[in-house]
Structures are given as C-alpha cells and as structure tokens.
Amino acid sequence: MKWRGVWAAVLGALMFVVASPAARAEGGAGPEAMTMGNMCMVMFGYDMIHITSYLPGKSRSEYCEEIPATGKVIMVFDIENPHFRDLPIEIRIIRDPLTPVNVNSDLEPLTEVHFPAQQYKKGTFSFEHEYKNNGHYIGLVTLTKDNGEKETQMFKFSVGETLWQYVSYVLGAVLIGLVVLVYWKHSHPGRRPAAKQASA
C-alpha cells in the first residue's frame, strides 16, 4: 500500500510535467494579459483585445505565448469593445531585454515592429512580420482614451525554440531518473553487516 501511494504521487507529478508545456503555451504574461485556448488577450478594465498568431505556409494552428518557429508570423488583433474601434490604438513589438521595461523606457533600440496610434473601425486588424531570430518578445498595446489619457498593456511571447521550452523535459527526465534510482535501491537493498556475536 505504501508503494502504491508513492507510485500514484509519481504518476501525478509526471502528468504535471508532461502537461506543463501545453499549459505554458496557453498561459498569460500576468494580470494584464490572459489567454483563452490559444488566443491571448490584453485587458483594459473589463474589456479585452484578442491576439492570435499564425505561421503562414507552415501550419494552420493558432499560437499564443509560444510561436514554435522563426520566419513570417501573422498577428491578428480583435477588438471586443465597439467603442474601442473609435479610439486610437498603438502597437509596438520589442525584443525582451529580460529587464523591466515601461512606456517611458527608450524602446527604439529594442523595437521589432511599430504601428503608430490609429483607429481600427472594422474592429479587427492584422500584420505580418518576419522574425529572424529565436527569442523572447513583448507586445505593447496602447489605447488613447476619450480624455486623452493613454493606457498601455503588454503581452509576452517567444519565437522559435528557446531554452525555457526544454525545462519541463529536463525536469521530467530528472524525476524519472530519481524514480528508477529509488526503485532500484528498494529492490536491491544493501547487505547489512552481520551482527557481532556476543563474547562468551
């Protein structure tokens, strides 16, 4: 019974490790960025803008936080709130410097794509960009409200294979190795030294 419980715990851990890449691929980048299936979204209060990525010519799949290959990527933005379609929206994609950034930072050296603020009356817009290097990126969506106030929300994503994508597999291999080691030690107990005979 004891080992049955251990194996149940190990199986649960393995299922978590194997499922973690999919969970991470659909995971958000913080409270301001969430996901629904493979579609990311940025939140402005209770309203949202959906973001979906595609790899034209390579796959028909939809991507969110992890785009598996470099090359041409199409990003589609769907504006949920009809009122937002009358407000200027600015889009900027930057390479993630892996240090804190904000709208007051000098973003030009990091900028991969930039679309100045404009209205998107149709409620949806898209662009195609060729990502030449694997890496982590940050999308900045800036909404200019009726009173002129600007609000920026961000979402993070990766393009191509990155080291973080292999973490779950490494952890899984380590966990399996530990299970094998524990099982081997349990099934091959070391020889215990013979008890010394009491002297006459």
Side-chain angles (χ1 to χ4, degrees):
M1 293 297 293
K2 177 183 177 181
W3 280 97
R4 183 177 299 177
V6 171
W7 281 112
V10 169
L11 180 61
L14 285 173
M15 291 178 65
F16 173 79
V17 170
V18 171
S20 60
R24 191 171 61 252
E26 297 180 1
E32 72 285 350
M34 301 185 298
T35 62
M36 181 181 294
N38 283 331
M39 184 161 48
C40 295
M41 62 185 76
V42 288
M43 301 295 298
F44 293 90
Y46 293 102
D47 298 303
M48 61 190 72
I49 295 178
H50 296 282
I51 306 142
T52 312
S53 298
Y54 302 89
L55 288 171
K58 291 184 179 181
S59 173
R60 295 183 178 180
S61 299
E62 300 177 353
Y63 300 101
C64 178
E65 193 179 37
E66 291 180 359
I67 301 172
T70 56
K72 293 182 179 180
V73 175
I74 295 176
M75 282 191 166
V76 180
F77 294 74
D78 293 306
I79 303 171
E80 183 79 8
N81 187 338
H83 178 58
F84 285 2
R85 302 173 188 180
D86 296 323
L87 301 178
I89 296 175
E90 177 185 358
I91 304 294
R92 185 187 295 268
I93 306 293
I94 65 172
R95 295 178 294 279
D96 191 346
L98 302 180
T99 57
V101 296
N102 56 57
V103 292
N104 297 320
S105 304
D106 183 12
L107 301 177
E108 283 302 323
L110 301 171
T111 297
E112 190 83 12
V113 182
H114 180 223
F115 295 96
Q118 58 181 298
Q119 295 176 347
Y120 296 96
K121 294 288 188 178
K122 294 182 179 180
T124 185
F125 62 97
S126 64
F127 66 86
E128 180 180 289
H129 178 70
E130 184 171 2
Y131 292 89
K132 299 180 180 179
N133 300 309
N134 295 343
H136 296 268
Y137 296 84
I138 300 175
L140 298 154
V141 182
T142 301
L143 179 73
T144 302
K145 301 180 180 180
D146 292 318
N147 60 3
E149 178 187 352
K150 294 184 178 182
E151 180 179 349
T152 300
Q153 301 293 354
M154 66 174 62
F155 62 98
K156 295 184 179 182
F157 62 97
S158 64
V159 176
E161 296 181 350
T162 61
L163 291 177
W164 288 109
Q165 292 174 293
Y166 295 101
V167 169
S168 60
Y169 300 106
V170 173
L171 291 177
V174 171
L175 181 58
I176 292 172
L178 289 175
V179 170
V180 172
L181 179 62
V182 170
Y183 177 77
W184 186 86
K185 284 189 174 183
H186 177 72
S187 59
H188 297 80
R191 294 182 179 179
R192 297 180 180 177
K196 294 182 179 180
Q197 294 181 352
S199 58

